Structure formats: structure tokens, C-alpha cells
Amino acid sequence: MAAYPDHPIRMIVGFSAGGTTDVVARIVAKEISQELGQSVVVDNRPGAGSNIGTEMAARAQPDGYTLYMVAVTSAINQTLYKNIHFNLIKDFAPVALAAKVPNVLVVNPQLPVHSVKELVAYAKAHPGKLNFASSGTGTSIHMAGELFKQSAGIDVLHVPYKGSAPALTDLMGGQVQYMFDNMPSAWPHVQAGKLRALAVTTGDRSKTAPDLPTMQESGFPGFDVSSWFGVLAPKGTPAAVVDKLNAAIEKGLYKSDVQARLKGLGAVTVKTTPAEFGEFIQSEVVNWAKVVKASGVTVD
């Protein structure tokens, strides 16, 4: 048997080119290629909230030549979609968690609030009057908003958009009042004074905005939400191949130039063994299932 890898590797991405998942995938693919000496081709297969690409990867040969760049969306989709043809835990072999990107709670500057506590108080004083935007129903951005709504006990309306860009445009225009968004897309508008940032959603403060409190510091213990990205292989991929890929990814992501590029995305790297990544995915599926079920949101 030839030593792995002896021909090009395909990395499926369940979203279109240009988004954060695709950008992270291309960074990881380049590093795997450099470490293992074979080209890694990114194959974008968008649709159905990434489910098309996920199912394609789940059905691929478990030989290490098809990988999948998984994102938090897949963990949410496991409960969100009524009809889903893969199981994120049973159909995949976890390889490595690549990066986490914090979400940030931003409001229109005209809204008279300067903290999460003030936003909650304002929402309770004006029930049914505030609208929060998202990049689409069932996205991590939407579910972060639902988790906040549930935790705070506030009466607000969700307004879904087709992507972050139009949502941010309406937020700056005052058509909606607040949203949770990925740090890379929202932060330039905060710096320009067009949005006001109240908190980051991760357990630790962001190096991009060290003065900004976390949601936990703002009175929401246990609120730890991020957009995360990692590599999966089809179930049955040999453990030796998974370990080789894990080592290549871990080594590649900690190069200084790669760290600088990820920092520019507001992303942080997290070292995991395949087993640790598997445990992380299981916890994410369970935690998001609670939020999805409490929100009552489903997709056929």
C-alpha cells in the first residue's frame, strides 16, 4: 500500500467561495498541502444551509482523500432540519478543530444603550418594539440571538436576511436595532462609528477588542458562542491517516504568518486531538439542540 497521501486530496466546503468558512478552509488546505506534499483542492458545494456539502462528504470513501470543512452551522442543523440525511457524530471521524471566530453584539448607535444590561432593560421597557437581525434563519448568528432572547426573557422580533452584509446595512440604517455578527464583518463598522459594540459572545475577551466585555461578564453566565471551523473525514478513515492530518493541521496553523492571517479574521486557533474535537462536536450538537427546540424554529 502506498504511503498516504500519494495523490491530491479534496476538501469539501458547504458554503460558497469568499465566506469565512471558505477562507479558513483555504488556509487549512494550503497548510495540509505544504506539510504532506500533495495538493488539497477546495470543492465548494453550497446549499441547504451547508447540508448538501455535509452529506456529500459523509458518503465519500473513507480513505483520507476527501475531507470536510465543518462549521458550527452543521451542529445547529442536526436539530434545526426536520429531514436530514447525515449524522454529524456517527457519520464522521473528527480530525481537528481549526479556529474559532467570536461573535459580537452590536447595536445601532441611535439606540440609547451602552451595555448589555441597558439593552435588556430597554427591551423590557419596550416589549415587542425591538427587532434583531441575522444572516439567515438557523445560522449561528440567529441562534445566538435566540439564546440571548431566551436567557434575558425579552420580547423581541427576529428579522432574517440573506447574509450578514444586508443585515448590517439595515442595522446601520435603523430598520433593525441590534444583532450578533461575526467579528470580521461587524468590527470595521464599529471602528467607523456606524455601530456600537456591547459584548463578545466567547468565554474569553477577544484580542481584537480587549476592552469589550464578554456576555458572561455582562450578566449571562454560561453564554459562550462562537463560529467555529474544523476538519472532518468520513467515518472509517484509518486512525493513522486521521492522526497524520491532525499533526499537519496543528503544525501548519501555528506558523507566524498563518497566525497573523487568522488574527486578521478575528479568529483564534485551538489545539485539539481528534478525540477532543469529537467531544467538542458532541457538546455543540447537544447545546444547540436545546436552543433550537426552545426557539421553536424548524426548517423542512
Side-chain angles (χ1 to χ4, degrees):
M1 182 178 177
Y4 173 84
D6 68 350
H7 61 271
I9 298 167
R10 175 176 64 152
M11 181 178 286
I12 296 174
V13 177
F15 296 97
S16 301
T20 306
T21 308
D22 176 71
V23 171
V24 173
R26 291 176 190 278
I27 292 172
V28 173
K30 180 181 177 183
E31 295 310 311
I32 294 175
S33 177
Q34 290 187 350
E35 293 298 322
L36 300 186
Q38 283 289 346
S39 61
V40 180
V41 180
V42 173
D43 184 4
N44 297 91
R45 298 294 180 123
S50 80
N51 288 344
I52 290 175
T54 313
E55 184 177 353
M56 180 180 292
R59 304 291 173 255
Q61 286 295 316
D63 54 11
Y65 291 96
T66 298
L67 304 176
Y68 184 60
M69 177 53 67
V70 66
V72 60
T73 311
S74 293
I76 295 170
N77 288 355
Q78 202 67 58
T79 306
L80 180 70
Y81 281 77
K82 290 181 180 179
N83 300 305
I84 200 164
H85 304 294
F86 63 84
N87 185 294
L88 199 61
I89 297 167
K90 295 179 180 179
D91 294 339
F92 288 97
V95 177
L97 176 61
K100 288 184 175 183
V101 175
N103 292 337
V104 58
L105 173 56
V106 287
V107 300
N108 182 289
Q110 299 302 313
L111 199 67
V113 300
H114 292 79
S115 68
V116 178
K117 184 178 180 180
E118 289 181 3
L119 176 59
V120 172
Y122 188 89
K124 288 185 175 180
H126 303 83
K129 300 297 184 183
L130 290 186
N131 300 323
F132 75 94
S134 81
S135 56
T137 299
T139 60
S140 64
I141 291 169
H142 171 208
M143 287 297 128
E146 292 290 348
L147 179 59
F148 176 53
K149 176 182 176 180
Q150 295 163 22
S151 302
I154 53 178
D155 177 15
V156 292
L157 178 67
H158 169 232
V159 182
Y161 289 81
K162 292 183 178 179
S164 284
L168 288 168
T169 297
D170 272 10
L171 178 58
M172 289 183 283
Q175 284 84 359
V176 290
Q177 287 71 50
Y178 73 91
M179 75 178 290
F180 289 85
D181 193 30
N182 293 160
M183 180 74 80
S185 51
W187 198 245
H189 301 299
V190 174
Q191 292 177 308
K194 296 178 180 179
L195 293 174
R196 179 183 298 133
L198 302 185
V200 290
T201 61
T202 39
D204 298 319
R205 292 194 180 200
S206 169
K207 292 181 180 178
T208 303
D211 295 332
L212 199 60
T214 66
M215 289 294 291
Q216 294 185 24
E217 291 173 323
S218 303
F220 290 84
F223 199 110
D224 187 354
V225 175
S226 63
S227 292
W228 53 263
F229 312 91
V231 178
L232 300 176
K235 195 75 169 182
T237 299
V241 170
V242 169
D243 289 341
K244 194 169 188 177
L245 287 164
N246 177 276
I249 292 166
E250 300 292 359
K251 183 178 178 182
L253 290 183
Y254 282 88
K255 293 176 182 176
S256 58
D257 60 322
V258 178
Q259 284 285 301
R261 189 172 179 198
L262 288 169
K263 185 179 179 181
L265 294 172
V268 294
T269 44
V270 184
K271 285 189 176 182
T272 60
T273 63
E276 288 169 343
F277 185 34
E279 291 169 1
F280 173 78
I281 291 173
Q282 284 187 312
S283 67
E284 284 287 281
V285 169
V286 170
N287 291 338
W288 283 117
K290 296 174 185 175
V291 178
V292 171
K293 288 174 181 176
S295 72
V297 177
T298 59
V299 179
D300 292 328

